[in-house]
Amino acid sequence: MIDDTAIERELRAAAATREAGHQLPDLGAAAATAGLLDVAYATLDSPLGTLLLARTDRGLVRLAYVDYESEDEVIAELASRISPRVLAVPRRLDPIRRELDQYFTGSRHEFDVAIDWRLTHGFGRRVLRATAQIPYGDVSSYKQVAAAAGSPRGFRAAGNALGANPIPIVVPCHRVLHSGGGLGGYTGGLDRKRLLLDVERASTE
């Protein structure tokens, strides 16, 4: 249960500091120290539109296209499935925001950020872990990732898992195509999938 009294104390301290003309304290750090922060989130403007990024103490747990899934919906999902202690703390997302900026310019080919897999389970998690191993600039097929996840005939279930990927781009489901080369599907729309593939193709040519 969230300690509302502790939050109120921090807000009152911040107001007093502001009135005194002093530098504001880091409320995100204060909330974390008080045990009031389990999920930090921030947004990032990107060539694909605004992204919402969320992390826990284990790593990046969510990346969403906010014109496809609204910010309120994503925060409600995080509060329901992980913890209601969700707070906008942009500084905590600075490392992954820098990595994504570098990725979009073609200067980064691998993400170093840790991943929190807790929003995935079972076969779906195995599919996404296999997908995370597809090299930058390369592609695989639904059948291949299903086989890598332990079920060669489970390509339809693999497609469902990829469609529900909670961390697109970093877990590169855009690199999975139909066996015949067709794009297949993509959360957020095929235009985004094409752009991601084009970014990687351009920087490896």
Side-chain angles (χ1 to χ4, degrees):
M1 184 175 182
I2 296 177
D3 184 348
D4 292 329
T5 303
I7 294 175
E8 289 170 1
R9 284 199 302 267
E10 295 296 341
L11 292 174
R12 283 197 297 270
T17 300
R18 185 184 297 109
E19 289 174 3
H22 299 149
Q23 185 175 357
L24 286 174
D26 185 340
L27 291 183
T33 300
L36 303 175
L37 175 64
D38 292 327
V39 185
Y41 74 92
T43 57
L44 172 70
D45 291 332
S46 81
L48 299 179
T50 302
L51 307 177
L52 186 147
L53 315 169
R55 59 157 293 180
T56 68
D57 58 355
R58 301 182 191 178
L60 184 69
V61 73
R62 195 74 167 84
L63 189 157
Y65 299 113
V66 297
D67 65 342
Y68 188 80
E69 303 174 87
S70 76
E71 184 171 329
D72 288 345
E73 289 173 343
V74 176
I75 293 170
E77 176 200 23
L78 293 168
S80 173
R81 298 184 63 185
I82 299 178
S83 168
R85 296 170 175 173
V86 182
L87 187 64
V89 190
R91 289 178 59 185
R92 292 205 158 208
L93 281 300
D94 280 349
I96 182 57
R97 292 197 293 180
R98 281 194 297 269
E99 290 189 18
L100 284 163
D101 283 338
Q102 293 163 356
Y103 169 84
F104 285 120
T105 63
S107 62
R108 174 174 288 274
H109 293 183
E110 294 182 5
F111 292 101
D112 294 327
V113 64
I115 293 175
D116 181 343
W117 295 97
R118 77 178 75 184
L119 295 180
T120 67
H121 305 281
F123 180 66
R125 180 179 293 185
R126 297 198 301 274
V127 166
L128 294 175
R129 284 187 175 275
T131 300
Q133 301 304 312
I134 302 171
Y136 181 96
D138 202 353
V139 295
S140 187
S141 70
Y142 293 98
K143 186 174 182 179
Q144 288 171 322
V145 295
S151 180
R153 296 184 180 182
F155 56 90
R156 288 189 178 86
N160 291 335
L162 292 164
N165 179 11
I167 317 173
I169 307 175
V170 175
V171 178
C173 53
H174 59 276
R175 296 176 191 162
V176 183
L177 311 178
H178 282 309
S179 297
L183 286 178
Y186 188 70
T187 298
L190 291 182
D191 286 345
R192 287 190 169 109
K193 189 169 189 174
R194 291 188 187 95
L195 190 149
L196 289 165
L197 292 170
D198 287 346
V199 165
E200 297 185 6
R201 189 178 299 115
S203 65
T204 54
E205 289 178 349

